[in-house]
Amino acid sequence: MIMHYGVNKIPVGVLGASGYAGRELCALVAQHPRFSLAFATANEQRGHTVHVGRQDLTFIATDDAPLDQAAIVFCALPHGASLPWVERARAFGARVVDLSSDLRPGNGEDARRAVYGMPELGSTTRASIQAAEIVANPGCYPTSILLALAPLVSAGLLAPGATIVANSASGVSGAGNSPTRELLFAEVTEDYRAYAVGNTHRHLKEMTATLSAFGVDDVDLVFTPHLLPVVRGILSTIIVPVVAELIDATEPFRMAYPNEPFVEVVREQPRLSDVVHRNVVRMTATMIAGTRTPTMLVTSAIDNLVKGAAGQAVQNANLMCGIDECVGLPA
Amino acid sequence: MIMHYGVNKIPVGVLGASGYAGRELCALVAQHPRFSLAFATANEQRGHTVHVGRQDLTFIATDDAPLDQAAIVFCALPHGASLPWVERARAFGARVVDLSSDLRPGNGEDARRAVYGMPELGSTTRASIQAAEIVANPGCYPTSILLALAPLVSAGLLAPGATIVANSASGVSGAGNSPTRELLFAEVTEDYRAYAVGNTHRHLKEMTATLSAFGVDDVDLVFTPHLLPVVRGILSTIIVPVVAELIDATEPFRMAYPNEPFVEVVREQPRLSDVVHRNVVRMTATMIAGTRTPTMLVTSAIDNLVKGAAGQAVQNANLMCGIDECVGLPA
Amino acid sequence: MIMHYGVNKIPVGVLGASGYAGRELCALVAQHPRFSLAFATANEQRGHTVHVGRQDLTFIATDDAPLDQAAIVFCALPHGASLPWVERARAFGARVVDLSSDLRPGNGEDARRAVYGMPELGSTTRASIQAAEIVANPGCYPTSILLALAPLVSAGLLAPGATIVANSASGVSGAGNSPTRELLFAEVTEDYRAYAVGNTHRHLKEMTATLSAFGVDDVDLVFTPHLLPVVRGILSTIIVPVVAELIDATEPFRMAYPNEPFVEVVREQPRLSDVVHRNVVRMTATMIAGTRTPTMLVTSAIDNLVKGAAGQAVQNANLMCGIDECVGLPA
Amino acid sequence: MIMHYGVNKIPVGVLGASGYAGRELCALVAQHPRFSLAFATANEQRGHTVHVGRQDLTFIATDDAPLDQAAIVFCALPHGASLPWVERARAFGARVVDLSSDLRPGNGEDARRAVYGMPELGSTTRASIQAAEIVANPGCYPTSILLALAPLVSAGLLAPGATIVANSASGVSGAGNSPTRELLFAEVTEDYRAYAVGNTHRHLKEMTATLSAFGVDDVDLVFTPHLLPVVRGILSTIIVPVVAELIDATEPFRMAYPNEPFVEVVREQPRLSDVVHRNVVRMTATMIAGTRTPTMLVTSAIDNLVKGAAGQAVQNANLMCGIDECVGLPA
């Protein structure tokens, strides 16, 4: 089902609006020319009014959300809390973009009920999103890594049995805004460290399940996230054994994303400042010199709150509503 | 030749004292109980007086260095400018610790004239340093990576034909204090990027030559440095194919470094704040879960200006002078 | 003379486009619905192409600027270099917004040729700007301080003979992007200091001349700028002896700026994060408790590159072109 | 009573050791050549072991503190919680350095029981501290401001009826390490704001009471603290009406502190990086040009955790124990 709206604004709601991703969503919706914000919930901050764009926005309790008044519900509740609210919104007829990990590939049976919302993965993906009742919005790390691997998969360039090493570094907004000692300014500034090492991060199974859906089952993916002393942005540095030395390592990426409005294939190294506050993934690739078997370095950068969360959610909602995918999104 | 000094202080000189490493060297020498600073040169800042510890220090031109008055000369001149000064200091009978890359392994014929000064690489290394006339002080990245790989080499754990992936992230002091636009605060803060990608960094050959000297010739090392928005510190995240699943991945490291005063093998992830302003390398290791062939993650952290430069240089000078390796060094 | 344009875009040029203010100007013009960028000059970076919004922009030499092709020329050349270019642009018939200090109040005879472009200073100001051939765009510190003092002046609240103490703290982008050692990341982060103390800052005479133009000649203004480890933003903390204790210290400010689109009078303390990337000044006021004579604290925050430079320049250009003052400006 | 100890180490205890000031205290005690750490309490973190210098330190519950085993007890408990513990420690015969505000000047009757521990305020102060049973360790802001005003008071330079404007900017460690949203990295970095405005900060009465004790009752002190995006350090910018134009504004400061080991009167502007991790106050002064009545700017910098808290506490304890005031303190 692809909905078509005329000139009227499409009412959307946000469940869990006080986190960094939720606030980014509200800001994007506030400036979106085709969406109007029907409600925004935040249990802890209910009754509080915040400025979003040029509007004032008062949070309500999640239990008080008028789910019947939204055509699209963005669910930005914590991981594990999402499913009942997705079902409740569906019962009221709303279509849902869920930003939690609960319905993403690799997260059990419930994931089958949702379409994985990474539009650039291919034309069938886009069509599925357009028709979806529930879209599972991808995780931030998977967005930066899968969009960097997909062109190599589709071009048949991944070396069989390869060990792919993905090192990612993320700004602190990825860890949310609940006050914990380890996220205090004095603990983060001038520091850097790995965490969730040894393939223990929640996002790993989302990536391996998606690769598996592409038919890639014979590779190992080693994923190590790091915490950067910055607010926004993820840079992923990915080492990939490939089947051939390419003269221009960026070619498969330019071939894969010829007209994607939100993918930038470049020749210089992408940096966080290139992508913050923008709904893009920016990437480049180069061959590693002097290795005995062909090895490629792919680096990709996103804003974890935009292309890695709220921006991609709006992009998916645009598709679901049959409007231009780029509307309301900062590129 | 191992020199022995009595209670008198040993006169040392610093060539190239105005860079970050040179200043750190002067500060360490100033508080060193057995060294006295005979001179410090800095062409651009000659005549300038700076406070180092509780002392005032006036830079002189490098050409004016009284090389005959120092038993040890630390040479912290730019890469490429070191060799003639090393020879000149030798002609005056001084022993030299050279902090440039010019005399390190992998940097041509000249490297044979120097002992590579990484004391923790083994007991023969220490003896060689003690007797050396010229010590090539290791690079910052090689210090963090080689000390993390050496225990796996000596334990025979490296998988034959392995591709070792070393991702390192460094604070900006590693790039020196020459004013360039890309090191301005406004260009560095809230940013992060890879550089010298594709195995093009000067430090790569230092690492591969050292591994080769260990007899490790059949592996690929892929090295990607990154620039962090912090002043000091390097964290290296190293993925290593190994020959066996270990129950405790830290064991080979604890075995390799049982009594090293400047190596900390820990169980939690090392972070920059653990090591800044200290002459230590701090590391841990863990097996990657779920890979088809055994794969280990080793992470190591150093202060690039201390264990990665000036501290290690003083450690080497201590050895050369026959005094306790730890004297004057912040652990 | 107020120009009126129809639906066609108004061609504007930027002289000195590679500094932080110049780049911000280009970005604002690129997304401005009524302006088109005729040229952007940058001698050092001529031939370089940069991305501005969704456009590519290639810098030309300033000498090559086609001044006849712009209706409005923004002059963002260094202080002291502006005047000949302003004259040259005028000779071609262009109207000019000059961002240097050369034509501002207090800077000698040349200042008489320009209208001081701070629209919120009063209705006559706005009319003068609309008709101006040359507008001197205010300095960043004066914008934050004068807009905070003007309501007290117009309400007759300044105590006669008062000493007004204005402490301002600015992000490093205010110092430009020429590479100097003191603006390196390693020198700025985790640091803070005063500079240009003792009323020696270039902006002081701009402020005293403007106060004098208001008829305020019997007060002392003590101005101390500071350098913050942030990229953007100025916070001014101003202590003002006043003639009466006010029950609500914000009242004169709300009265003075009832409908100003770019002034926010609030009750909580303004912070840099409230104003960065926005063309607003945000301010509050409170009485100091327990003083023997009535004393007020006014705090005001701006983005030094937007309301303190490029944004205010576009605001002035909007007025000069007879279009809505808010067009193309992020509020 | 001045205690004299021989070569034995003096046992000291720390109540409230897990905050930033408490941890700094433990670190200073750990490296102090004459003190040994008898205990360190931290209710929330009891049982936790931390590394302090080269020692391991396990926190115990405050109720379990063996108060009879310490000659000196440092009390770094929260404001309001200190008094009963000071009394309990006294009952066991320990002398106390209290870091809370509870016993400082201006904080009611209890303050009379303690000596205000700012040694540089004068020779009688030092003698009083040496003999004190209870020392109230000064607040961080008062340390930076009072040491900058005292020379003007003692030289009779303060203008009668003056309004002194003290603007201070502090790093976040001054706000403690309890996790609150407003101290998260993402909320502090790239931001700056005033707080506790209008003379509402707790430290104001400590300053006015101390000035009053000097006989200065006819001035107004306007104090506005600000929050800096740095970890450590306070810079105070103080505007003072004075009775005369001085040719060298630093002279009264050099006269007042001729041999103070922890006061640095300089000519260049002090900056945070000059003082962090050091037990010093660094200051300069200059006359304001062009004012109708003589006005002086004094700027002073301290490390809020060292000279503004733990370092000054150790300095006081040194005096109380009859040992060299400088022992164990980084200058």
Side-chain angles (χ1 to χ4, degrees), chain D residues 133-157:
Chain D
E133 294 181 338
I134 306 173
V135 165
N137 207 57
C140 50
Y141 289 122
T143 297
S144 77
I145 293 170
L146 290 173
L147 290 177
L149 289 178
L152 300 178
V153 173
S154 58
L157 283 165

Side-chain angles (χ1 to χ4, degrees), chain B residues 18 20 23 44-45 172-173 176-181 183-190 228-231, chain C residues 18 20 23 44-45 172-173 176-181 183-190 228-231:
Chain B
S18 63
Y20 287 126
R23 290 193 334 205
E44 248 187 80
Q45 298 182 30
V172 292
S173 62
N177 65 356
S178 294
T180 59
R181 187 160 296 166
L183 294 179
L184 292 180
F185 180 87
E187 305 299 317
V188 171
T189 190
E190 293 290 317
L228 277 174
V230 307
V231 177
Chain C
S18 63
Y20 287 125
R23 290 192 334 204
E44 249 187 80
Q45 296 182 32
V172 293
S173 62
N177 65 355
S178 294
T180 59
R181 187 159 295 165
L183 294 180
L184 292 179
F185 180 87
E187 305 299 318
V188 170
T189 190
E190 293 290 316
L228 277 174
V230 308
V231 177

Side-chain angles (χ1 to χ4, degrees), chain C residues 121-144:
Chain C
L121 281 187
S123 53
T124 60
T125 310
R126 246 181 197 103
S128 304
I129 296 168
Q130 287 173 326
E133 295 182 337
I134 306 173
V135 165
N137 207 56
C140 50
Y141 289 122
T143 297
S144 77

Side-chain angles (χ1 to χ4, degrees), chain A residues 142-281:
Chain A
T143 296
S144 77
I145 294 169
L146 291 174
L147 290 177
L149 290 178
L152 301 178
V153 173
S154 58
L157 283 164
L158 275 190
T163 294
I164 300 169
V165 174
N167 271 263
S168 297
S170 172
V172 293
S173 61
N177 65 356
S178 295
T180 60
R181 187 160 296 166
E182 63 181 9
L183 294 179
L184 292 180
F185 180 87
E187 305 299 317
V188 170
T189 190
E190 293 291 315
D191 209 350
Y192 181 66
R193 63 184 163 93
Y195 71 98
V197 299
N199 275 1
T200 61
H201 193 280
R202 168 196 290 135
H203 285 170
L204 183 74
K205 57 189 175 186
E206 178 180 343
M207 293 189 274
T208 52
T210 303
L211 288 173
S212 186
F214 288 167
V216 178
D217 283 308
D218 67 337
V219 302
D220 281 334
L221 176 62
V222 177
F223 170 54
T224 312
H226 299 71
L227 187 67
L228 278 174
V230 307
V231 177
R232 284 164 176 261
I234 286 176
L235 185 80
S236 290
T237 302
I238 312 167
I239 308 292
V240 193
V242 288
V243 295
E245 289 283 344
L246 301 193
I247 292 171
D248 177 0
T250 66
E251 193 185 12
F253 298 88
R254 287 183 285 109
M255 300 281 282
Y257 302 124
N259 296 305
E260 285 297 344
F262 297 122
V263 180
E264 299 177 347
V265 180
V266 294
R267 297 208 172 272
E268 67 276 16
Q269 285 299 310
R271 47 198 294 177
L272 298 190
S273 58
D274 291 328
V275 299
V276 290
H277 296 292
R278 303 175 63 218
N279 190 56
V280 298
V281 59

Side-chain angles (χ1 to χ4, degrees), chain A residues 20 23 44-45 172 177-181 183-189 229-231, chain D residues 20 23 44-45 172 177-181 183-189 229-231:
Chain A
Y20 287 125
R23 289 192 333 204
E44 249 186 79
Q45 297 181 31
V172 293
N177 65 356
S178 295
T180 60
R181 187 160 296 166
L183 294 179
L184 292 180
F185 180 87
E187 305 299 317
V188 170
T189 190
V230 307
V231 177
Chain D
Y20 287 125
R23 289 191 335 203
E44 248 186 79
Q45 297 183 30
V172 293
N177 65 355
S178 294
T180 60
R181 187 159 295 166
L183 295 179
L184 292 180
F185 180 87
E187 306 298 318
V188 170
T189 190
V230 306
V231 178

Side-chain angles (χ1 to χ4, degrees), chain C residues 210-257:
Chain C
T210 304
L211 287 173
S212 186
F214 288 167
V216 179
D217 283 310
D218 66 337
V219 303
D220 282 333
L221 176 61
V222 177
F223 170 55
T224 313
H226 298 72
L227 187 67
L228 277 174
V230 308
V231 177
R232 285 165 177 260
I234 285 176
L235 185 80
S236 291
T237 302
I238 312 166
I239 307 292
V240 193
V242 288
V243 295
E245 289 284 345
L246 301 193
I247 291 170
D248 177 2
T250 66
E251 194 184 12
F253 298 87
R254 287 184 285 109
M255 301 282 281
Y257 301 124

